[in-house]
Amino acid sequence: MSMQTPNKQTTITTISNKKNKEKITMITAYDALFAKIFDGEVDMILVGDSLHMSFFGAKDTLGISLEAMIYHTKAVCNATKQSLVVCDMPFGSTATPQNALESAISIYKNTDAHAVKLEIGKEGLETIRLLVENGIAVMAHIGLKPQFVRSHGGYKIQGKSEQDTQTLIALAKDIEKSGAFSILLEGVVAKSAESIAKSVKIPVIGIGSGVNVDGQVLVWSDAFGFFEEFQPKFVRRYLQGAYLIRDALREFVKDVKDSRFPNSNESY
């Protein structure tokens, strides 16, 4: 049964009002097929640049284009009537505030996305302000930032020291002042993540950042067992998807080879 009110569109205000009242749920999707399944079951659907890895098979997220993100966001929006859709802004599309504004305007003009997400540090505050001033809703991504993987020398957990935690708290407060409607907090030590979430009035959505934040997001192929290469510590697999698909595929292959498919009822 759907967790959302039937046919009621989740809005930015809906998400904002859940702070300290109800946990927020978010899952990624890259196409209309899965978006239709997820729609109304979760509060938000993220068209993440993670698709470059899980959908395209690349080693990181850096190579995906803005055009590709727009294409996949269009597909997700075509099948979504209730969940709020957020489009990830890919590497290079937010290099300067003006560059980010042009990229975000292109996303808004060419898709029905409700918001954009951008990975930022303190340098991105001006960008948030510019986007918000131009009517674009922003989710800010801080903590472990996959687009910075090469410059940071890998995927490194954040918030391990008090100084690091205080830096993230200060950044979160500045992000709130800049007008972002929410924060995605990735790969932050649970105790630090809790402090960050409590320091701001906007929702903080965690991934690999413990339970004491305002909501959780997972990449769909991780959550449902379609990505088999490795399982990050923060991922709980709710389905053995790859196993089930492979098992069903082998049954199809066997039926074809044994001339059991199609049968008379499946033939014209």
Side-chain angles (χ1 to χ4, degrees):
M1 186 175 73
S2 174
M3 298 297 289
Q4 304 284 353
T5 305
N7 301 320
K8 187 174 181 180
Q9 174 68 64
T10 299
T11 66
I12 299 295
T13 303
T14 310
I15 299 301
S16 299
N17 288 342
K18 289 180 184 290
K19 177 85 176 183
N20 298 324
K21 294 177 184 175
E22 178 188 339
K23 293 281 189 174
I24 297 162
T25 56
M26 190 178 196
I27 197 81
T28 66
Y30 315 130
D31 58 44
L33 184 65
F34 276 93
K36 190 170 185 178
I37 295 170
F38 300 156
D39 184 35
E41 303 294 338
V42 291
D43 297 306
M44 294 189 283
I45 294 174
L46 172 65
V47 188
D49 60 2
S50 53
L51 73 87
H52 199 50
M53 298 172 72
S54 58
F55 184 89
F56 186 73
K59 64 181 179 180
D60 58 35
T61 65
L62 303 187
I64 195 161
S65 67
L66 179 64
E67 290 73 24
M69 291 304 305
I70 287 172
Y71 175 85
H72 286 275
T73 301
K74 273 185 179 179
V76 168
C77 290
N78 281 343
T80 306
K81 292 182 173 62
Q82 296 179 62
S83 299
L84 186 140
V85 177
V86 180
C87 175
D88 223 345
M89 298 191 71
F91 181 74
S93 69
T94 62
T96 66
Q98 191 59 38
N99 175 216
L101 178 59
E102 290 170 2
S103 300
I105 286 173
S106 185
I107 290 168
Y108 262 41
K109 279 189 171 182
N110 291 287
T111 79
D112 291 326
H114 304 94
V116 298
K117 179 176 78 66
L118 56 153
E119 297 183 19
I120 67 149
K122 202 167 183 65
E123 80 293 332
L125 297 173
E126 184 185 345
T127 297
I128 295 175
R129 285 191 290 269
L130 183 61
L131 266 57
V132 172
E133 285 169 4
N134 283 274
I136 295 160
V138 176
M139 172 183 284
H141 183 154
I142 65 172
L144 190 160
K145 296 173 289 188
Q147 289 180 11
F148 290 69
V149 62
R150 295 183 195 173
S151 62
H152 288 179
Y155 299 98
K156 297 180 179 179
I157 300 302
Q158 307 292 307
K160 289 184 175 181
S161 69
E162 180 62 24
Q163 181 180 354
D164 193 14
T165 301
Q166 290 305 317
T167 299
L168 285 168
I169 287 174
L171 178 58
K173 288 180 177 179
D174 285 340
I175 286 168
E176 181 178 20
K177 289 175 188 173
S178 297
F181 80 94
S182 65
I183 293 171
L184 191 150
L185 189 66
E186 179 169 3
V188 174
V189 173
K191 186 177 179 182
S192 297
E194 181 179 3
S195 298
I196 294 161
K198 286 180 177 178
S199 74
V200 292
K201 294 178 182 177
I202 58 175
V204 175
I205 312 301
I207 178 167
S209 298
V211 71
N212 292 316
V213 289
D214 301 304
Q216 301 291 333
V217 60
L218 281 178
V219 172
W220 80 268
S221 50
D222 288 339
F224 306 131
F226 284 89
F227 187 74
E228 297 180 294
E229 280 75 2
F230 70 95
Q231 182 178 345
K233 180 181 179 180
F234 61 82
V235 170
R236 181 180 297 179
R237 282 187 177 161
Y238 289 88
L239 184 75
Q240 296 301 320
Y243 170 82
L244 292 170
I245 293 291
R246 194 177 292 113
D247 193 50
L249 179 63
R250 287 171 178 168
E251 189 175 343
F252 161 70
V253 169
K254 190 173 188 307
D255 283 352
V256 171
K257 290 186 179 294
D258 293 344
S259 297
R260 289 203 299 262
F261 176 79
N263 62 27
S264 59
N265 292 328
E266 295 156 338
S267 302
Y268 293 103

